[in-house]
Amino acid sequence: MRTTATSIAGAALLMSWLAGCDALMQGPPGAGDGCKTSGGVCKVEIGVPPGCTTGDCVTLTDDPVHVGDGSGRVRDVNLLWKLPTGYAFCMGDGVEFSGNTQNQFTDNYPTDDPQGARDHAAGGRKNYHWKDANTYKDTFKYTVRFHDAQCGTPFRKDPGVINDM
């Protein structure tokens, strides 16, 4: 009887430990449900680890970003790239799509609004907005350019957006 109770307790402890490891191994959270909702705000967090001085060490959640839920009904998703404290989209910076985008991306601008609304702030901004029509299933490459908050050190990363429709 005692062996069974000990085995059950040990199994419960092991399951708890494994669940914790699984959460750690999954990495940073994804861009979120806003990517799968018509009119939603799909937030792409840009990460710059300490000591990073080039785009090689910059991370994005997610890379690539998946827009849509596969149903073909998700439209007009607001993509919002968000910089960490100490960085800004300075003059000439932003998110630029390359190649034939099939008219999927419109309404681009830098903003300090956390939900991506236009604002009239001066200077470098914390976020960059595009609207994705999500009417054409494909992968679209883009370049994100930004600087440190003093607009001195430049950073560049070349990830992608996948329209899952």
Side-chain angles (χ1 to χ4, degrees), residues 54-87:
T54 69
D56 294 339
C57 45
V58 171
T59 61
L60 291 102
T61 58
D62 296 320
D63 180 12
V65 176
H66 287 264
V67 176
D69 62 2
S71 71
R73 294 186 303 252
V74 176
R75 299 284 186 264
D76 298 324
V77 174
N78 295 288
L79 299 172
L80 188 65
W81 287 265
K82 301 177 72 60
L83 290 171
T85 300
Y87 298 88

Side-chain angles (χ1 to χ4, degrees), residues 79 81 95-99 101 105 130 140-143 160-161:
L79 299 172
W81 287 265
V95 176
E96 182 179 327
F97 285 90
S98 58
T101 62
F105 305 98
W130 276 94
F140 302 96
K141 298 304 271 177
Y142 67 89
T143 299
V161 170

Side-chain angles (χ1 to χ4, degrees), residues 1 19 22 29 31 38 40 68 76 81-82 97 100 116 121 128 150 162:
M1 185 79 162
D22 186 46
S38 288
D76 298 324
W81 287 265
K82 301 177 72 60
F97 285 90
N100 186 352
Y128 202 88
Q150 292 76 36
I162 297 175

Side-chain angles (χ1 to χ4, degrees), residues 5 14 32 51-52 65 70-71 79 91 108-109 119-120 122 126 152 158 161:
L14 178 62
C52 178
V65 176
S71 71
L79 299 172
M91 184 64 73
N108 65 309
Y109 51 85
D119 65 15
H120 300 289
K126 302 297 295 170
D158 297 307
V161 170

Side-chain angles (χ1 to χ4, degrees), residues 18-40:
L18 287 174
C21 286
D22 186 46
L24 289 173
M25 292 172 23
Q26 289 175 5
D33 291 338
C35 302
K36 303 193 180 324
T37 306
S38 288

